[in-house]
């Protein structure tokens, strides 16, 4: 398997635009495959963490999530850069009293689905926690797109769960344009492949906002170009 630098998504993004030269920052995720991630395996893990008709205490905090579930929060001991620290973990509590134990790094809503992410996998479920899609890693980028990993490469799926960018990049970051509508359905993405970065649109079409100034065909430096971006060359 190809060696790559560890990649990690960060759930907090810096609002910026490609015009201003800044990018949203996502988690960096390691891409070593430990075990094959399937819908059946993820469903089995969720069922193991799900208790019907009872609550697992202690729950430090809960907040409304949707019309069936509340999201619970607990703090657990972990390691941060080699030092011990407390990390938040999230779960779900239904109004009838069913409990999904707080073992998840992320519990979010994505359209009409529940997004769950832990140390081993990420998935989307229906409101009854039946898994519809499972991934090695995933991160919600916006209301319309999720970055997903098959354990080797990254791609992007949209809110209809269509694969709009295939699994072929070492890293993906969504560009947030300050001049675009807040609910942007056609964003651009910074992508990394073989150590080089580029910009693609939401259909994986190559896109770059720059002046492209090639040398003349008889120039001694005809293999070079000037690429001017954001006032810098």
């Amino acid at each position: 398997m190809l060696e790559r630098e560890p990649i990690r998504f960060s759930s907090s993004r810096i609002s910026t635009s490609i015009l201003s030269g800044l990018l949203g920052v996502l988690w960096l995720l390691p891409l070593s495959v430990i075990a094959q991630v399937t819908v059946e395996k993820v469903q089995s893990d969720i069922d193991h963490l799900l208790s019907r008709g009872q609550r697992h205490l202690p729950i430090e905090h809960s907040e409304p999530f949707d019309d069936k579930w509340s999201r619970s929060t607990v703090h657990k001991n972990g390691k941060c850069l080699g030092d011990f620290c407390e990390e938040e973990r999230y779960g779900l509590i239904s109004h009838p009293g069913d409990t999904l134990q707080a073992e998840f790094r992320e519990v979010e809503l994505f359209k009409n689905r529940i997004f769950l992410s832990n140390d081993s996998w990420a998935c989307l479920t229906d409101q009854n926690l039946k898994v519809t899609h499972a991934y090695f890693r995933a991160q919600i980028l916006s209301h319309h797109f999720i970055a997903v990993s098959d354990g080797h490469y990254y791609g992007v799926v949209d809110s209809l769960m269509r694969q709009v960018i295939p699994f072929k990049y070492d890293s993906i970051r969504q560009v947030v344009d300050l001049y675009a509508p807040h609910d942007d359905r056609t964003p651009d993405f910074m992508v990394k492949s073989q150590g080089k970065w580029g910009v693609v649109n939401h259909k994986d079409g190559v896109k770059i906002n720059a002046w492209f100034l090639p040398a003349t065909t008889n120039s001694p430096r005809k293999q070079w170009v000037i690429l001017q971006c954001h006032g810098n060359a």
Side-chain angles (χ1 to χ4, degrees), residues 72-87:
S72 61
T73 304
V74 301
H75 287 82
K76 295 191 174 184
N77 293 329
K79 281 190 175 182
C80 302
L81 299 177
D83 296 327
F84 287 101
C85 64
E86 286 192 337
E87 298 178 333

Side-chain angles (χ1 to χ4, degrees), residues 35-54:
Q36 185 178 10
V37 175
T38 64
V39 168
E40 292 76 17
K41 179 187 183 305
V42 172
Q43 185 67 67
S44 175
D45 290 349
I46 289 176
D47 292 343
H48 180 73
L49 295 172
L50 183 62
S51 300
R52 301 290 186 181
Q54 58 180 313

Side-chain angles (χ1 to χ4, degrees), residues 46-47 49-57 59 62 66 68-72 91-102 127-130:
I46 289 176
D47 292 343
L49 295 172
L50 183 62
S51 300
R52 301 290 186 181
Q54 58 180 313
R55 295 178 182 233
H56 285 265
L57 298 177
I59 293 172
S62 66
D66 62 12
K68 178 177 180 178
W69 299 94
S70 295
R71 179 168 51 192
S72 61
L92 291 170
I93 306 170
S94 73
H95 304 309
D98 298 340
T99 300
L100 180 66
Q101 295 181 43
Q127 196 177 47
N128 295 316
L129 299 182
K130 297 300 181 183

